Amino acid sequence: MNNESQDNSKSDQRGGVGALLAGLRTLFDNPISRVFLRTATIESECKYNGRKVAAPIIYHALSMYAGEPVSSCTVTARFIGSIVNTIMKLGIKLLKGREEEVIEALKDPALRRGVSLILKGLGLYGVTVPQELPAPFLIVWNFTNMCNLRCKHCYQRADKPLPNELSLKEKLMVVDQLDRAGVAAIALSGGEPTIHPHFRRILYEIASRGMYAAVATNGWVFADIEKLREAKKLGLRYVEVSVDSADPKKHDWFRGVQGSWERAVKALENAVKLGINHAMAITITKMNINEVEDILDLAESIGVKRVVFFNFVPVGRGKDNIWLDLDPLEREEFLRTIYKEMSRRKMEIVSTAPQYGRVSLQLSGGRDVAPTHFYVGEDPIVKAVAEFVGGCGAGRIYAGIQPDGTLIPCVFLPIPVGNLRERTFWDLWINAPLFKLLRDRSKLQGACAVCPYKNICGGCRARAYAYFNDPMAPDPGCLYNIKYWNKLIEENKTASRIKIQVKKKH
């Protein structure tokens, strides 16, 4: 083969993992293959470097495929594993993916967990759009209510620890349950998780089980590079530090404590220096909407490679500061701005607003799409994976845990579905009526119900609940639902006028 044909062959290939997922979706979209796949979800025990690991056969098959030292598996596990691997090769080939990229990616136990979940979902539920999963990819765990800052938008109203927070023994029980369910990643949030005495022990426990260990922090503790170095040694793989303005005074006002901007920036500098996967997290509001470029300039000056703009949701203290929210036109313009900024900067810029999937698809003429706020790409396969993952993941691909063990669909959607002190995570994830409702896009209301982009967006269910007390209501932050936003504004004006009249009478 000459050099030109080799180059053409490489250019025809598509992203490995994206091609794998789309290929598996195609191959397992029939009743016969799903019966086999369900068999592969049975738990079995194998040894990894002499250590016994109990996991679904699928997980062991993926480990073998990646060249991991797997031994002492049952004959059944090895037989089914070999068939799974053959099907995977076929799936990658079918979609012209890069097998070497898949093999390298699957060396990561957390990614193996994620692919295992998708395969289990295909086996148990068939192909659904968006895909239903037997466990979430990600759990965001509000580790404690204690916090050293007093942020204007805090969804937890974090301050002091709650009197009924989980004990260390109970936290270890929760980690064990999430591990057994096959959860791929756990992000510790709060409050401020890094100031809690149990933080290091639980961080180690999460990482040692092969789950992806992440933390969302205000950066105060990790401004000390030794603290961050210690967390990295314990298994921390991703740190997300909040910076809400390029102006130190504005950030400190928003966060309620002087000096918090300086420590947040230092924490990000330390993450860059130590080579820890990281992101700068910004909650986009009326306070900072006009400094997007300045914030991105700041991120570049630090060496940050990833910036996440969080959707404002009026929950917790955010309810008291609802004026901070963007209107649909502002949000649309903002999403368009960050998409264009990403095309000219050498960094990943994403948003947790589900509408970003639609915006990136429209602006790129159908080339780019954001399956979730984790990735935007132009690979042709990504669009298929976008519908597979499906925009807002509350109660579908992720869930939240409160400091007292209460399970909720999302940290911004604090509707209790049960408590892990009383019922197992698996039981609640499979059976909770609210989770079942959130997984059914046919129950959406307003423009969200008929929107052609509902399978790659679906609107923010937390914002729907915050404004209408119904998680399936329209997301009033979307341009397509602007009439609902205008109605809310008018109702608020009417309520204000009534209050003024009542005051005058008395």
Side-chain angles (χ1 to χ4, degrees):
M1 186 183 288
N2 60 39
N3 290 338
E4 184 180 352
S5 60
Q6 283 180 335
D7 289 340
N8 288 338
S9 175
K10 286 179 181 178
S11 65
D12 287 341
Q13 288 186 308
R14 296 161 175 176
V17 176
L20 170 64
L21 297 181
L24 293 174
R25 183 185 186 189
T26 302
L27 291 169
F28 286 110
D29 192 17
N30 67 80
I32 296 172
S33 61
R34 287 203 301 274
V35 169
F36 165 75
L37 199 51
R38 279 196 293 272
T39 305
T41 64
I42 296 169
E43 191 169 286
S44 181
E45 198 173 81
C46 296
K47 286 185 177 179
Y48 290 67
N49 286 321
R51 183 173 65 90
K52 290 182 180 179
V53 174
I57 292 173
I58 289 172
Y59 180 85
H60 299 311
L62 295 173
S63 300
M64 294 174 201
Y65 187 78
E68 293 296 299
V70 184
S71 63
S72 302
C73 298
T74 64
V75 174
T76 304
R78 286 206 166 272
F79 175 69
I80 293 175
S82 65
I83 296 175
V84 169
N85 288 343
T86 300
I87 293 172
M88 284 176 57
K89 285 178 180 286
L90 180 60
I92 297 166
K93 189 175 182 180
L94 183 69
L95 275 298
K96 297 181 180 179
R98 293 185 289 271
E99 187 179 15
E100 66 278 7
E101 184 182 305
V102 176
I103 291 171
E104 186 59 35
L106 289 176
K107 291 183 185 297
D108 183 341
L111 194 136
R112 290 202 296 271
R113 280 174 169 265
V115 175
S116 294
L117 283 176
I118 291 174
L119 285 165
K120 285 176 73 175
L122 289 170
L124 294 170
Y125 312 115
V127 172
T128 60
V129 181
Q131 186 60 45
E132 191 169 347
L133 299 176
F137 284 122
L138 172 67
I139 289 289
V140 180
W141 186 352
N142 290 331
F143 199 64
T144 179
N145 208 59
M146 74 163 60
C147 190
N148 52 342
L149 302 187
R150 299 293 178 270
C151 305
K152 299 282 188 293
H153 66 314
C154 180
Y155 58 77
Q156 282 292 104
R157 295 187 183 272
D159 184 355
K160 297 175 182 177
L162 303 175
N164 61 340
E165 290 189 3
L166 297 173
S167 66
L168 177 57
K169 183 178 179 181
E170 288 172 323
K171 288 187 178 83
L172 291 169
M173 174 270 291
V174 168
V175 173
D176 188 59
Q177 285 196 27
L178 299 179
D179 179 22
R180 289 177 179 275
V183 170
I186 300 176
L188 300 178
S189 188
E192 177 52 44
T194 62
I195 65 174
H196 195 280
H198 297 162
F199 171 69
R200 288 177 297 176
R201 173 67 191 280
I202 297 302
L203 175 64
Y204 171 77
E205 203 65 36
I206 292 166
S208 66
R209 293 167 180 256
M211 290 181 279
Y212 192 87
V215 64
T217 175
N218 58 41
W220 194 277
V221 171
F222 289 155
D224 179 344
I225 195 168
E226 291 308 316
K227 296 288 186 185
L228 185 54
R229 197 190 309 275
E230 181 186 13
K232 182 182 180 182
K233 287 179 182 176
L234 290 169
L236 180 64
R237 295 184 57 182
Y238 177 80
V239 58
E240 196 168 80
V241 183
S242 297
V243 178
D244 288 303
S245 175
D247 180 345
K249 289 182 180 178
K250 280 177 71 175
H251 172 95
D252 290 355
W253 170 82
F254 193 67
R255 293 276 160 179
V257 174
Q258 192 172 353
S260 57
W261 184 90
E262 185 180 352
R263 294 189 74 90
V265 168
K266 187 64 179 175
L268 282 167
E269 289 173 348
N270 289 341
V272 171
K273 191 177 293 184
L274 295 177
I276 296 177
N277 196 13
H278 61 275
M280 177 188 285
I282 304 100
T283 300
I284 193 73
T285 65
K286 288 192 185 296
M287 183 199 79
N288 56 16
I289 187 67
N290 294 320
E291 53 175 314
V292 171
E293 287 192 28
D294 291 339
I295 289 169
L296 294 174
D297 288 343
L298 172 64
E300 281 187 329
S301 71
I302 296 169
V304 168
K305 298 299 182 187
R306 186 168 189 266
V307 176
V308 182
F309 286 96
F310 275 77
N311 220 7
F312 174 81
V313 182
V315 62
R317 280 195 209 108
K319 240 182 217 181
D320 305 333
N321 295 288
I322 202 167
W323 63 271
L324 287 166
D325 201 3
L326 306 181
D327 66 42
L329 291 170
E330 287 172 323
R331 181 171 282 100
E332 187 78 6
E333 184 59 33
F334 158 72
L335 294 175
R336 288 172 171 266
T337 296
I338 63 170
Y339 176 81
K340 292 170 184 174
E341 286 292 329
M342 191 174 72
S343 66
R344 75 180 188 86
R345 295 179 187 257
K346 292 181 179 178
M347 62 167 61
E348 185 183 352
I349 306 170
V350 291
S351 171
T352 64
Q355 292 83 10
Y356 194 45
R358 168 184 58 78
V359 169
S360 60
L361 192 66
Q362 290 172 330
L363 289 185
S364 66
R367 293 190 313 276
D368 291 358
V369 67
T372 68
H373 57 271
F374 298 113
Y375 178 77
V376 177
E378 62 180 20
D379 190 310
I381 290 302
V382 171
K383 185 178 178 182
V385 178
E387 293 193 350
F388 196 68
V389 174
C392 179
R396 290 192 318 102
I397 62 171
Y398 59 76
I401 298 174
Q402 296 286 47
D404 67 348
T406 298
L407 188 65
I408 54 179
C410 164
V411 293
F412 298 103
L413 183 54
I415 307 174
V417 300
N419 193 286
L420 300 181
R421 282 171 163 149
E422 299 158 4
R423 293 176 63 183
T424 66
F425 173 80
W426 178 266
D427 177 24
L428 289 169
W429 179 260
I430 298 298
N431 298 312
L434 178 58
F435 284 167
K436 290 181 179 180
L437 179 65
L438 290 166
R439 293 163 193 165
D440 187 354
R441 290 280 164 88
S442 71
K443 298 294 195 298
L444 292 175
Q445 301 165 24
C448 293
V450 295
C451 181
Y453 301 100
K454 73 177 181 179
N455 288 329
I456 59 170
C457 173
C460 175
R461 299 299 96 217
R463 289 177 50 79
Y465 180 72
Y467 279 105
F468 298 111
N469 203 35
D470 180 353
M472 305 310 285
D475 175 356
C478 179
L479 196 63
Y480 296 174
N481 281 317
I482 196 166
K483 69 176 183 179
Y484 296 98
W485 177 265
N486 292 337
K487 186 180 178 183
L488 286 165
I489 295 298
E490 187 54 41
E491 285 174 353
N492 186 57
K493 286 179 182 176
T494 303
S496 298
R497 285 196 294 268
I498 291 169
K499 286 178 183 177
I500 291 168
Q501 288 172 2
V502 170
K503 283 181 179 178
K504 283 181 178 178
K505 285 180 181 180
H506 293 279

